[in-house]
Amino acid sequence: MPTTSGNPFNSRKSLETSKGTYTYFDLGALEEQGLGSISRLPFSIRVLLEALLRNVDGFVVTNDDVAGLAAWDSTGKTKGEVPFMPGRVVLQDFTGVPAVVDLAAMRSAMDRMGGDPNAVNPLVRCDLVIDHSVQVDAFASSVALTINAEKEFDRNRERYEFLKWGQQAFDNFSVVPPATGIVHQVNLEFLAGAVLELETEGGEKVAYPDSLVGTDSHTTMINGLGVVGWGVGGIEAEACMLGQPIYMLTPEVVGFKLTGELPEGTTATDLVLTVTQMLRAHGVVGKFVEFYGPGVASMSVPDRATIANMAPEYGATMGFFGIDDKTLDYMRLTNRSEEQIDLVEKYCKANHLWWTPDAEPEFTDVLELDMGTVQPSLAGPKRPQDRITLSSMKPQWRKDLVDTFGKSVPSECVRVDRWANEGGTPAENGNSIPESCSDDGVMIHYNDRDISLHNGDVVIAALTSCTNTSNPDVMIAAGLLAKKANALGLKAKPWVKTSLAPGSKVVTEYYEKAQLTEHLEALGFHTVGYGCTTCIGNSGPLPEPIEKGITQGDLVACSVLSGNRNFEGRISPYIKANYLASPPLVVAYAIAGTVDIDLVNDPIAQTADGDDVYLKDIWPTHDEVIKTRSAAISREQFESEYGAVYTGNETWNEVAVSGGELYDWKDSSTYIQNPPFFDDMTEEPPGVPAIRGARCLASLGDSVTTDHISPAGAISEDSPAGRFLKEKGVPKSQFNSYGSRRGNDRVMTRGTFANVRVKNLLAPGTEGGWTTDFTDGEVKSIYEASLNYKQAGTPLVVLGGIDYGMGSSRDWAAKGTFLLGVRAVIAQSFERIHRSNLIGMGVLPLQFKDGESRETLGLDGTETFDLDLPSSITPACSVPVKATHPSGKVTEFSAVCRIDTPVEADYARNGGILHTVLRRMLSDAKQPA
């Protein structure tokens, strides 16, 4: 894999480059044979087509597969099954550890069933980047980076030892150590080649497009470099690692035409928030989005990558940009070799993959945006697609405060009053407090001063996430704004937890060269680590007085971060309103200290002399940003930081490695356990048994995210997972996070549906993983209820609304659902990755028919469900459902089985993807040689 066998469709051609002579598979040969016009195909479809052409073997990929995709129908009416074989797999440690755990478990199962454990081995290149483990414990300090790094290794050493075992046990598997950067930024700056190559057994060198899948939904960031790739669940990635194609229906491709240029004062972050809002409204779930038009030609790769990164937020499988001169410029800047750059240019031009501004392929639909109309924006308080222009932020915040959070609008005098609480009297600050003014905040004592906390206070301001830290323009803009603010003596408000977590060490290099580090640190933005931090939920604890003040006052505290996700309960369990913003706006809101402010017209702060300072006074111009970037960033920085990427972390080098081909499972471990997925596995597929007498475990609303289903952040002491850890002797200080414990099914099953903001209609008036247990009628934790159902032999279902499973490529959202005993999820619609993950774990995704829902059918979740599954599951088959209410009322309806392809039906009959792969391996091992 890839096979590159034979000479399919007479397409084998030769290419001379400065790197050598290569064979490639020419897409033009298909046009010559009357199979369709290549120029009309979107560039993303051309990459899929090349993979089919190169891998034709008559079994996995057939001639009909190639011909079918070559005749791609832009209307979307013709949908074949595409067996896509990507060139590589990228993982991060939160999803990568359970992936390696599954491979280790498959080896143990293979050994138990009489097969060869070494047959379970990656067949394609796999790169794992450790980026999700560092947490912001220390901040606003010159030693924050050191303290957080020490805590990271202390908490995660066992996980790192396990990854070291995997690195030596498996072929084609490498690990990028901690403190290097964020996986997607490392992929963009270092791992990706744009064009890959392999050498056949006969010594022939073959060139082909770089492509990948990753165990993180934001794998799509690499689309900005012209590389096809998207996020999949860990179990689907594992199957790909073991040589299985990614099976998908022929995708529709939505064209997004960009024209014009961004106006002064706006950033690529504002652009992507606008694009996200537009595409969510249009509806692109399960589709490709391809950007084109004259606006693209002037965009840098970092700007393109910012837009591609947030494809999961606008719901698309990916957001693709073609390869052009800007791609080559970026590869040159980031220290790719001149020989590789020559290969990329000559290969793409020879094989119809070179993008030009006048290219207008056929698309399923087309949207258009004049970038000149983009305005400075934020998104929130709970979803990335809910964009708010900066000018309307204050009134929208006050509306959300009432409508979303059920609070009253604050009096206009609150912000005047609080200046006094920061030191000095109102008169000294040039203000007076009206006699009628009452302080509706909560007074706390923090850092030797009295502080009044209010609804709308920004308690976290984080420069975080590869979405923005990969883009020098927005990062330099943040640094320049900090420089101007520092020159005026402005500071972040004392209740704001500030942090800077670059996506690679190159950011630190150019900040130092531009002399911006000192100004960021003057405002509290010290580097806290090189990883995802706040964006993934590793924001760390709030200072205790801040946390208590929020809790005691039942305040709606806020975060502002330069990330891509702001789902409920993700950033911090104590913060209800979270806003995505550009890096310079993050710094600005740290200075303002509240979102209850009009940053366009109100002063952001005052100088020591009492002079008002407005945002426009400290906002850098585009020319200032470009001038600073040109002087501060060089190819040598990338050469220096990535030159010893695998060996440069001495602490990582000292992590012990042991074991052979089989992992030595330890019962005492609270991080790594042999999951029960293969315990009762037999060589024969079990089929899809009927579901009778099922009860509803959870009845959930719209936009339920994988963060709701399987949180990544803090583990509460009084949660089932927290109690389990305490029983195992783990102190609260060592709980770490759910994300870091994904190698232990016992923790993760207890943590399923444990997000503090989950609202289950079966337990009205509660938040956070509660349900009514119909075996005894009591309200208890979802995990505890599941144990009673399991003991009674009762299968379970989950009811959901629109966009069920939106968000991360979190396989544990499906694994945990399965281990709780859920056999089917019935929802109005599913997000792409989670639907696939459910099938991969043997859980049926069933979709209400158009116009029907839990509400229209009158289902309240107290019913007993009988699902009349057909004897042989087929794609999109109808599944009759009978719901019997305790009152005796019977509701019958038919749901659509969201098994979309014949291969997925095979997975369902086998009980999941990995079971299917393992049975094939066993069968192959028993075939006569």
Side-chain angles (χ1 to χ4, degrees):
M1 179 182 177
T3 60
T4 67
S5 59
N7 189 7
F9 299 94
N10 297 314
S11 63
R12 189 183 292 267
K13 299 287 178 66
S14 181
L15 180 69
E16 295 293 333
T17 78
S18 62
K19 201 174 183 181
T21 302
Y22 290 87
T23 293
Y24 73 100
F25 291 81
D26 180 28
L27 294 173
L30 300 175
E31 187 168 336
E32 292 170 3
Q33 295 178 45
L35 293 177
S37 169
I38 300 301
S39 63
R40 74 175 185 85
L41 295 178
F43 284 79
S44 51
I45 294 295
R46 299 181 202 185
V47 176
L48 295 187
L49 182 59
E50 189 282 338
L52 294 184
L53 182 63
R54 177 169 33 90
N55 287 288
V56 167
D57 61 3
F59 175 66
V60 176
V61 181
T62 67
N63 287 4
D64 288 343
D65 291 328
V66 176
L69 190 59
W72 179 79
D73 178 11
S74 62
T75 67
K77 293 178 181 178
T78 304
K79 285 188 177 293
E81 188 177 53
V82 179
F84 176 50
M85 304 179 81
R88 55 193 179 95
V89 175
V90 170
L91 312 97
Q92 38 90 340
D93 51 308
F94 267 19
T95 51
V97 166
V100 179
V101 165
D102 287 348
L103 294 180
M106 290 178 74
R107 278 196 171 183
S108 295
M110 182 73 86
D111 184 62
R112 173 175 56 82
M113 298 171 75
D116 178 11
N118 281 312
V120 180
N121 200 75
L123 299 179
V124 297
R125 171 186 156 194
C126 302
D127 296 288
L128 186 150
V129 180
I130 299 176
D131 65 353
H132 275 52
S133 296
V134 63
Q135 178 173 293
V136 186
D137 288 281
F139 65 99
S141 162
S142 60
V143 295
L145 178 62
T146 300
I147 292 172
N148 293 330
E150 289 174 350
K151 286 181 177 290
E152 176 186 359
F153 272 91
D154 182 46
R155 290 172 177 143
N156 297 286
R157 184 166 292 274
E158 186 178 347
R159 299 170 65 241
Y160 294 170
E161 289 174 351
F162 175 69
L163 290 176
K164 276 284 189 80
W165 168 81
Q167 192 171 21
Q168 63 85 30
F170 296 112
D171 296 333
N172 298 319
F173 179 68
S174 64
V175 178
V176 176
T180 302
I182 302 174
V183 56
H184 311 304
Q185 192 161 338
V186 173
N187 192 20
L188 186 74
E189 295 178 353
F190 174 67
L191 296 174
V195 170
L196 300 178
E197 58 184 273
L198 65 84
E199 188 168 332
T200 67
E201 292 182 1
E204 180 184 34
K205 293 191 341 183
V206 178
Y208 56 101
D210 190 355
S211 63
L212 68 149
V213 292
T215 58
D216 188 291
S217 53
H218 295 102
T219 299
T220 54
M221 183 166 173
I222 203 62
N223 303 158
L225 194 69
V227 175
V228 161
W230 57 84
V232 296
I235 43 182
E236 195 170 7
E238 292 156 36
C240 183
M241 292 162 71
L242 296 172
Q244 304 300 304
I246 298 291
Y247 289 93
M248 59 191 297
L249 291 178
T250 306
E252 298 178 22
V253 184
V254 174
F256 199 112
K257 188 172 185 177
L258 291 170
T259 61
E261 295 182 356
L262 289 175
E264 185 69 48
T266 59
T267 68
T269 312
D270 304 314
L271 174 59
V272 73
L273 294 180
T274 304
V275 167
T276 298
Q277 184 183 47
M278 291 177 63
L279 286 169
R280 265 292 171 186
H282 181 77
V284 291
V285 172
K287 301 176 184 179
F288 289 1
V289 173
E290 187 164 310
F291 295 90
Y292 74 107
V296 170
S298 63
M299 293 177 67
S300 67
V301 164
D303 281 356
R304 297 175 186 183
T306 297
I307 296 172
N309 178 283
M310 288 188 69
E313 280 64 56
Y314 43 84
T317 302
M318 66 174 181
F320 188 74
F321 292 81
I323 291 175
D324 64 354
D325 285 322
K326 293 286 187 180
T327 314
L328 304 186
D329 291 343
Y330 182 79
M331 294 185 72
R332 192 166 285 111
L333 171 67
T334 52
N335 198 42
R336 270 66 170 211
S337 71
E338 289 299 327
E339 291 80 7
Q340 178 67 21
I341 294 169
D342 185 59
L343 170 62
V344 171
E345 180 175 9
K346 288 179 176 174
Y347 172 81
C348 291
K349 287 182 174 177
N351 208 14
H352 308 272
L353 292 171
W354 184 259
W355 183 85
T356 56
D358 59 350
E360 291 212 20
E362 293 180 12
F363 293 112
T364 306
D365 289 301
V366 170
L367 281 76
E368 185 169 344
L369 174 65
D370 176 357
M371 293 190 289
T373 64
V374 171
Q375 300 180 57
S377 303
L378 296 89
K382 297 181 179 182
R383 301 189 308 177
Q385 64 262 42
D386 296 331
R387 185 177 68 91
I388 309 163
T389 61
L390 183 62
S391 59
S392 60
M393 180 62 188
K394 181 177 179 178
Q396 184 61 49
W397 152 252
R398 293 192 164 195
K399 183 177 186 300
D400 287 339
L401 186 64
V402 176
D403 296 346
T404 303
F405 300 108
K407 303 292 184 179
S408 59
V409 174
S411 61
E412 288 295 339
C413 62
V414 166
R415 289 193 66 251
V416 174
D417 181 40
R418 59 186 319 172
W419 292 108
N421 297 323
E422 292 175 44
T425 66
E428 289 172 347
N429 286 320
N431 298 309
S432 61
I433 301 176
E435 291 182 4
S436 61
C437 181
S438 61
D439 190 331
D440 62 354
V442 175
M443 192 68 90
I444 65 170
H445 189 76
Y446 175 55
N447 278 352
D448 297 324
R449 60 173 28 169
D450 291 327
I451 297 172
S452 183
L453 292 178
H454 299 79
N455 290 322
D457 276 353
V458 175
V459 296
I460 287 180
L463 295 173
T464 180
S465 172
C466 54
T467 309
N468 285 291
T469 68
S470 63
N471 193 326
D473 286 1
V474 292
M475 294 300 285
I476 286 172
L480 290 174
L481 187 144
K483 180 179 180 179
K484 294 185 177 189
N486 188 35
L488 294 171
L490 306 186
K491 302 294 181 185
K493 290 297 183 287
W495 53 85
V496 184
K497 182 176 184 177
T498 47
S499 62
L500 165 62
S504 81
K505 290 186 175 180
V506 174
V507 179
T508 299
E509 289 283 325
Y510 65 68
Y511 267 163
E512 288 287 338
K513 190 170 182 179
Q515 298 181 336
L516 295 176
T517 301
E518 60 184 283
H519 302 293
L520 286 160
E521 291 181 350
L523 271 70
F525 287 95
H526 295 72
T527 298
V528 296
Y530 296 93
C532 300
T533 60
T534 301
C535 187
I536 189 57
N538 282 353
S539 60
L542 292 173
E544 187 176 353
I546 304 290
E547 178 186 312
K548 285 185 176 179
I550 294 170
T551 304
Q552 291 170 2
D554 189 25
L555 299 178
V556 182
C558 301
S559 74
V560 181
L561 64 150
S562 62
N564 45 48
R565 293 227 164 113
N566 54 347
F567 300 140
E568 289 184 296
R570 181 184 179 96
I571 307 304
S572 166
Y574 300 100
I575 299 176
K576 294 182 180 179
N578 302 282
Y579 294 92
L580 307 180
S582 66
L585 277 182
V586 171
V587 178
Y589 273 102
I591 296 169
T594 179
V595 299
D596 188 31
I597 182 175
D598 180 355
L599 281 185
V600 176
N601 298 303
D602 292 345
I604 189 173
Q606 292 178 319
T607 66
D609 296 330
D611 296 328
D612 287 339
V613 178
Y614 292 84
L615 182 60
K616 63 184 179 182
D617 298 330
I618 57 175
W619 192 271
T621 66
H622 180 67
D623 286 344
E624 288 174 319
V625 170
I626 299 304
K627 182 179 179 180
T628 304
R629 184 236 292 163
S630 300
I633 301 178
S634 67
R635 178 186 179 104
E636 289 71 29
Q637 293 165 341
F638 292 89
E639 180 181 12
S640 170
E641 292 303 337
Y642 288 110
V645 66
Y646 297 106
T647 59
N649 188 318
E650 291 303 323
T651 311
W652 169 258
N653 295 339
E654 293 169 1
V655 173
V657 58
S658 61
E661 64 181 24
L662 295 177
Y663 184 69
D664 182 19
W665 305 100
K666 299 176 179 62
D667 289 339
S668 60
S669 174
T670 60
Y671 276 104
I672 309 296
Q673 285 294 331
N674 191 348
F677 305 138
F678 310 109
D679 285 356
D680 301 319
M681 180 177 164
T682 61
E683 293 189 39
E684 291 299 317
V688 185
I691 301 174
R692 303 288 182 192
R695 301 308 299 258
C696 183
L697 183 65
S699 182
L700 307 168
D702 295 340
S703 298
V704 169
T705 72
T706 49
D707 278 85
H708 285 119
I709 304 169
S710 183
I715 301 172
S716 170
E717 276 189 282
D718 58 0
S719 67
R723 291 195 294 272
F724 170 80
L725 290 173
K726 286 196 291 187
E727 290 167 3
K728 292 294 182 181
V730 179
K732 177 68 171 70
S733 61
Q734 291 293 317
F735 273 16
N736 213 330
S737 64
Y738 281 113
S740 66
R741 292 191 179 272
R742 287 181 186 160
N744 187 343
D745 61 280
R746 302 167 196 182
V747 173
M748 297 309 296
T749 306
R750 288 169 169 83
T752 304
F753 294 109
N755 184 300
V756 295
R757 300 290 173 234
V758 168
K759 297 181 181 68
N760 183 0
L761 298 178
L762 296 182
T766 68
E767 275 189 324
W770 301 95
T771 193
T772 295
D773 180 352
F774 295 118
T775 66
D776 58 19
E778 295 183 5
V779 173
K780 60 188 64 169
S781 75
I782 281 178
Y783 175 72
E784 290 171 310
S786 75
L787 296 179
N788 287 342
Y789 287 124
K790 188 173 294 186
Q791 187 174 13
T794 303
L796 300 171
V797 299
V798 168
L799 298 179
I802 298 169
D803 295 335
Y804 185 85
M806 67 186 296
S808 302
S809 61
R810 195 159 297 171
D811 55 341
W812 262 108
K815 288 177 175 177
T817 298
F818 168 76
L819 291 177
L820 287 174
V822 175
R823 296 284 309 283
V825 176
I826 311 174
Q828 285 176 260
S829 64
F830 291 89
E831 290 285 290
R832 175 185 62 87
I833 300 176
H834 187 60
R835 182 201 66 83
S836 176
N837 279 337
L838 289 172
I839 295 168
M841 285 310 302
V843 179
L844 286 176
L846 302 178
Q847 190 161 308
F848 290 110
K849 290 187 175 178
D850 289 346
E852 292 186 344
S853 66
R854 171 188 51 207
E855 290 81 8
T856 64
L857 294 169
L859 304 176
D860 63 15
T862 65
E863 298 85 359
T864 299
F865 293 85
D866 295 311
L867 280 64
D868 191 10
L869 298 171
S871 57
S872 179
I873 287 283
T874 56
C877 64
S878 182
V879 177
V881 181
K882 177 181 176 182
T884 305
H885 194 270
S887 66
K889 175 189 174 184
V890 175
T891 302
E892 297 187 78
F893 61 97
S894 291
V896 178
C897 182
R898 282 301 312 278
I899 288 175
D900 291 350
T901 69
V903 170
E904 288 181 344
D906 191 34
Y907 293 158
R909 286 188 289 270
N910 275 274
I913 294 178
L914 299 183
H915 299 79
T916 306
V917 174
L918 198 52
R919 287 191 177 97
R920 286 177 185 168
M921 289 180 175
L922 282 166
S923 176
D924 291 344
K926 294 183 178 181
Q927 297 297 321

